[in-house]
Amino acid sequence: MSASSSTPRMVEVSGAEALWLLEGADLGRLVFVQREVTVVRPARHVWEYGRLVVRTPVQPALVPLTASYHADDIQKATGTGWSVTATGPAEVITDPDEAAHYRRTLPGWTHGPHDTVVRLHPQTVTGFRLARGTERR
């Protein structure tokens, strides 16, 4: 194996492929700024009707007007995988029936005041594949 074939590369993917990768995952992180500090919280998600629905341990009052969601799947042994970030307006799902539906379908880490369901309306979606040498996928 030559040095060039084992050199890691980061290859940008199209928005459609990034959404496809995100749709196939179920774990990620909700990322937002609170009091000038970046906050990162674990989350589970589902992609439905062009929206990303996220269940995360954040108090509803702390969910900002705009947030990012980041998911990835990186293989430590090979250094290959992918990374996707979606950013856009965020809103807490307040309808009790809709929130209950997502609490049933998305496992959470906490229950009570820090168990929030958020709808993210992605305006930008970026993604990268991490590959070795000439590997494409």
Side-chain angles (χ1 to χ4, degrees), residues 31-109:
V31 182
F32 56 95
V33 176
Q34 177 186 6
R35 292 187 214 116
E36 300 180 26
V37 175
T38 301
V39 176
V40 180
R41 294 292 179 264
R44 297 202 185 260
H45 70 273
V46 64
W47 180 262
E48 288 186 337
Y49 311 111
R51 304 291 182 257
L52 191 62
V53 177
V54 177
R55 183 176 179 183
T56 188
V58 174
Q59 289 180 330
L62 299 180
V63 175
L65 296 176
T66 300
S68 293
Y69 187 77
H70 179 82
D72 55 47
D73 182 16
I74 299 170
Q75 305 302 311
K76 184 177 179 181
T78 62
T80 59
W82 57 267
S83 174
V84 171
T85 302
T87 302
E91 62 181 328
V92 174
I93 295 177
T94 57
D95 177 85
D97 294 330
E98 187 179 9
H101 164 73
Y102 289 115
R103 286 193 177 97
R104 282 190 305 273
T105 59
L106 292 170
W109 286 276

